[in-house]
Amino acid sequence: MSRNRRAGIWLMIAAVAAFAAQDGFSRHLAGEYNTLMIVMVRYWVFAGFVLFLAMRRPEGFRAAVMTKRPFTHGLRATLLVAEVCLIVWGYTLIGLIESHAVFAICPLLIAALSGPLLGEKVGWQRWAAIGAGMVGVLIILRPTSGVFSWPALLPFASALMFALYSILTRGTARDEPVFPGFFWAGIIGAGFMTLLGLPNWEPVAGVDLVFLGFYCALAILSHWLLTKCYEMAEANVVQPYAYLQIVFVTIIGIVVYGEVLAPAVALGTVVVVAAGLYSLLQERGRTGAA
C-alpha cells in the first residue's frame, strides 16, 4: 500500500467520524427546532465552503464553476436537499441507529441503477449482492411485525434519492470536471433551503447555539476531509471504510441518546454491509481487469 493510499484511508475514517458527529448534533437540533431551519443553516455553511474553494481554484473562479449541464445540476441539488431533509427527519423519529442501518443500502442502489441509467454492466454477482442487501433492509424494517412504522421508510427514500444524486454526479463527471458539480450542489441547494427554511425560522438560545456552532464546524470539516481523501487515494480503495460511519453512529446513538441496537437491526445491518462490501469487491475486480 502506498503512502498516499494509507493517508487516504485514514482521511476517510476521519471524514465518516466527522459525519457521524454531525449527524449526532443534527438529531438533537432537529428534535428541538424545525428540521428545515437546521438543514438551511447546514447548507449556508456548505455554500460558504464551496465558494471559498472556488475562489482558491488555480484556473480562476469563473472557469472552476463553468458547467454545460445546468439543468442536471439543478436536479442533483434538489435530490440532495430532499435526501438531507428526509434523513434528518428520520433521526428525530426512529433514531440514528435504525436510520443509518437502512441508509446503508445506498451503495447497492447505486450499483442497481448504474445499469439502466448509465448503461454500465451489472453482472449476476452484483445483482445477487443487491438482492441480499434488500433482504437485509427487510430484516431491519420488519414490515410484517408490529414494530414497523412508516417513518422507517424515510431513510430508505433518502438512500434512493442519494443514489439517484450519485448516478447523476457520475454522469456529469463524464463531460466535465468534478468541482462544478460539487459547487452547484451547494449553491443551488442553499438557495432552495433558504426558501424552505426562512419561513420556519426559530430563535436558537442557550447551549443550543454552541451545538449549532459545532454542527456548522463539522459540516465544513467533514467535507474538507472527504475532499482531501479523494485527492490522496482512489475511491474504490477508500470506499469500504465509509461503512465505519455505521459503527460511529451506533456508538453515538447508544451512548448519547440511549438508543437500543435491536437484534434484528444488528443482523440486517450485517447483511447489508456484507452485501455492499461484496459489491465493492466485484467493482474493484471489474475495473482492475479493464
Side-chain angles (χ1 to χ4, degrees):
M1 183 186 296
S2 70
R3 182 180 178 184
N4 280 355
R5 286 188 173 187
R6 185 177 291 111
I9 289 170
W10 281 110
L11 283 166
M12 174 60 82
I13 294 172
V16 297
F19 276 118
Q22 177 183 298
D23 290 339
F25 281 111
S26 66
R27 184 199 191 286
H28 166 74
L29 292 168
E32 297 293 324
Y33 305 95
N34 186 275
T35 299
L36 296 175
M37 184 194 79
I38 297 302
V39 176
M40 176 185 68
V41 174
R42 171 176 172 172
Y43 260 96
W44 284 351
V45 174
F46 183 25
F49 178 62
V50 296
L51 278 170
F52 173 76
L53 291 180
M55 289 186 290
R56 292 174 58 88
R57 298 284 293 188
E59 67 268 37
F61 181 88
R62 176 172 290 187
V65 305
M66 187 68 66
T67 178
K68 297 176 287 186
R69 308 279 291 273
F71 175 78
T72 303
H73 289 311
L75 181 57
R76 288 175 59 252
T78 304
L79 286 168
L80 191 60
V81 162
E83 179 267 324
V84 172
C85 290
L86 286 179
I87 194 71
V88 173
W89 189 20
Y91 297 158
T92 66
L93 297 178
I94 62 173
L96 291 169
I97 295 175
E98 191 163 339
S99 293
H100 271 275
V102 176
F103 190 83
I105 193 68
C106 186
L108 294 170
L109 293 177
I110 294 172
L113 293 170
S114 64
L117 296 183
L118 293 178
E120 297 181 0
K121 183 179 179 181
V122 182
W124 70 265
Q125 297 97 331
R126 293 177 74 191
W127 279 119
I130 293 164
M134 293 303 298
V135 170
V137 170
L138 289 176
I139 293 173
I140 296 167
L141 295 180
R142 290 153 288 173
T144 60
S145 71
V147 298
F148 174 77
S149 60
W150 70 264
L153 296 176
L154 291 175
F156 184 82
S158 179
L160 179 59
M161 289 179 179
F162 191 75
L164 290 169
Y165 165 84
S166 300
I167 291 293
L168 290 174
T169 300
R170 190 181 294 178
T172 58
R174 293 176 173 178
D175 303 328
E176 60 187 29
V178 173
F179 185 78
F182 186 54
F183 176 85
W184 290 112
I187 298 301
I188 298 173
F192 284 160
M193 284 313 307
T194 300
L195 292 175
L196 295 172
L198 274 184
N200 295 285
W201 181 266
E202 301 175 49
V204 181
V207 71
D208 285 336
L209 278 174
V210 178
F211 291 157
L212 187 60
F214 277 117
Y215 178 64
C216 293
L218 286 166
I220 296 175
L221 176 62
S222 55
H223 282 97
W224 181 83
L225 288 169
L226 198 60
T227 301
K228 302 303 288 186
C229 166
Y230 288 128
E231 289 177 1
M232 289 286 184
E234 303 90 339
N236 64 356
V237 171
V238 298
Q239 202 59 40
Y241 297 89
Y243 279 111
L244 286 173
Q245 185 172 355
I246 299 174
V247 177
F248 296 138
V249 161
T250 300
I251 293 171
I252 293 171
I254 293 172
V255 174
V256 178
Y257 293 104
E259 296 181 14
V260 177
L261 179 58
V265 174
L267 175 60
T269 303
V270 169
V271 172
V272 173
V273 171
L277 291 174
Y278 178 76
S279 179
L280 282 170
L281 287 173
Q282 292 296 316
E283 175 67 16
R284 290 175 69 175
R286 184 178 67 86
T287 54

